[in-house]
Amino acid sequence: MAREFTSVGVVGLGTMGAGIVEVFARNGIDVVAVEISAAAVERGRATLTGSTDRAVAKGKLAEADRDALLARIDWQVGLDALHSVDLVIEAVPEHLDLKQRIFAELDRVCKPEAILATNTSSLSVTEISVATTRPNQVIGIHFFNPAPVMKLVEVVRTVVTSADVVADVEALCARLGKVDVTISDRAGFIANALLFGYLNHAVGLFESRYATREDIDAAMKLGCGLPMGPLALMDLIGLDTAYEILDTMYRRGGRDRRHAPVPLIKQMVTAGLLGRKSGRGFYTYERPGSPVVVPDEHTPVSTGAALADGARAIAKVGVVGSGTMATGIIEVFAKAGYEVISVTRGAEKSAKVCEAVKTSLNKGVVRGKLSEDDRDAALGRVTWSATLDHLADVDLVVEAVVEELSVKKALFASLDEICKPGVVLATTTSSLPVIDVAMATQRPADVIGLHFFNPAPIMPLVEIVRTIRTSAETAATARAVCAGLGKTGVVCGDRSGFIVNALLFPYLNDAVKMLEASYSTADDIDHAMKLGCGYPMGPFELLDVVGLDVSLAIQRELYLELREPGFAPAPLLEHLVTAGYLGRKSGRGFRDHTKR
């Protein structure tokens, strides 16, 4: 039987500590809440009171339950108040020497059978535990912020943590209504090890001026369904905190360059640009601590005449291709009022594309998202063709053929001969260099990447990829077209992966390496990222949906272009692809889908 915890102590009453106090008190457990001074205690009390009052105002907590919750908390100054608790959780700033001093004192103060836990998100639980005479009773209990809301808890055992202590803490997490993942003591654990490599990479894209802060954040929110963009999330976490976590993971985790803090982070910390808490980080906020972003000198002018400035008029669009992406793009343009010429490699393929577009539009009518008149009007705008010559008078061509460079180059050479001067020639490639396609023509200034996401009628994002030869007029036209389609266009340079894939696939690759090292299971890693970071899918769920072969191909492209050792495809991913385990489409990937 797991032990019954009747009273717990929480040391440190900042945002995280106060949240942990609330979690225990909400679940009927008496809490001794400890800080270093009376003023700090009052700040912690105010944080918790504000949280519970908001819960009452939103109807998520009854007033009587709030009052009972507050009555369970004993606010105290000094560690001596923890002499009789069953469990202590430390939630002070991420400094090893500070935590070691606190644990040495807790070892002296607390009763012999008490469990001592740290909420550290990156430091070594083992190094903290050796400051005590009871390292077998020391464990990591890593809550996520905000603790009352976030369901995940990482339970971190050291090589000497007692199995009984682990079992007792796992049972406690269940009592608190949390989902726990139990892991060994490794830099960053699961969530931070995967999250902060991605965040650091995003800062690197911004530092190199590859894309604006707004476009990087919009790309990851709209392209991947993430709750926040990476730079806005860095501001929420605090750049000083992020720097400490990255630096610790770099030093403790084998000096992986993916975790070496991008120099800009340290520069911003030194300049006092810490994020929301200081009122300015990557964005500027209404005041310190406010979540409200206000315009600053870097805020782009985004709408109206400024967006269309220099753009060419587009009325007729050609779409080349017969696959799922081409079909979706035809529908998008036709519904937005553009005249569309669909070109495929034969009448049979044209008939299939036409049928697919009709089926999709009919689904829109059935679901009430499209009227019958609008459906008929959209279909009436499409001309079906099997010859490129019919593109002679279009204003824009969007290519959506197979992802083979030789095929695309041959197509663009033909379009160069057929299309009138001034036509924008766009490729939907997701991984190939746009400049290679552009240089197959005599008009590289008119060539641009328009990377739609699948399914194109639903996904709101388009990556607008400029080469070093793309003209400002062509880029302005692409932005105006995206706006006319009701899409969000994000502008980036012609580099492997663009924004979304460049940030997404190294993160997925890191997850595979974590599984490969037997650090955790696919289920626990997926739980950690969904429950701890709010991701809509865990990395292994997503890999099986995307296709392991597709993921491997993209990761290889990133590695070949950037030559970053941390981007080398995980051997496990290569082995699974070789074995024919490609994900859902083959029935098996990281999971067996034939039994579901």
Side-chain angles (χ1 to χ4, degrees), residues 39-163:
V41 167
E42 286 309 309
R43 286 195 295 272
R45 191 201 300 264
T47 299
L48 188 143
T49 302
S51 174
T52 53
D53 285 350
R54 286 192 296 273
V56 170
K58 293 176 181 177
K60 296 182 178 180
L61 187 67
E63 289 189 24
D65 290 337
R66 175 198 58 193
D67 296 343
L69 180 162
L70 295 175
R72 294 186 191 105
I73 304 169
D74 180 14
W75 305 91
Q76 294 287 341
V77 175
L79 298 178
D80 287 338
L82 301 170
H83 59 85
S84 63
V85 299
D86 303 315
L87 164 73
V88 178
I89 298 183
E90 160 275 311
V92 303
E94 289 283 272
H95 301 296
L96 181 60
D97 56 345
L98 172 61
K99 292 181 187 283
Q100 286 177 327
R101 287 199 304 273
I102 288 172
F103 271 72
E105 186 65 11
L106 290 173
D107 189 35
R108 181 189 66 79
V109 168
C110 294
K111 59 189 182 184
E113 65 272 24
I115 293 174
L116 308 181
T118 173
N119 184 59
T120 183
S121 60
S122 61
L123 297 174
S124 167
V125 179
T126 305
E127 290 186 49
I128 294 169
S129 74
V130 297
T132 75
T133 61
R134 55 175 105 177
N136 62 315
Q137 290 170 234
V138 177
I139 195 167
I141 304 179
H142 179 217
F143 288 83
F144 286 74
N145 193 27
V149 176
M150 301 299 281
K151 285 287 186 183
L152 182 72
V153 175
E154 289 177 321
V155 177
V156 187
R157 59 172 181 254
T158 74
V159 290
V160 297
T161 304
S162 162

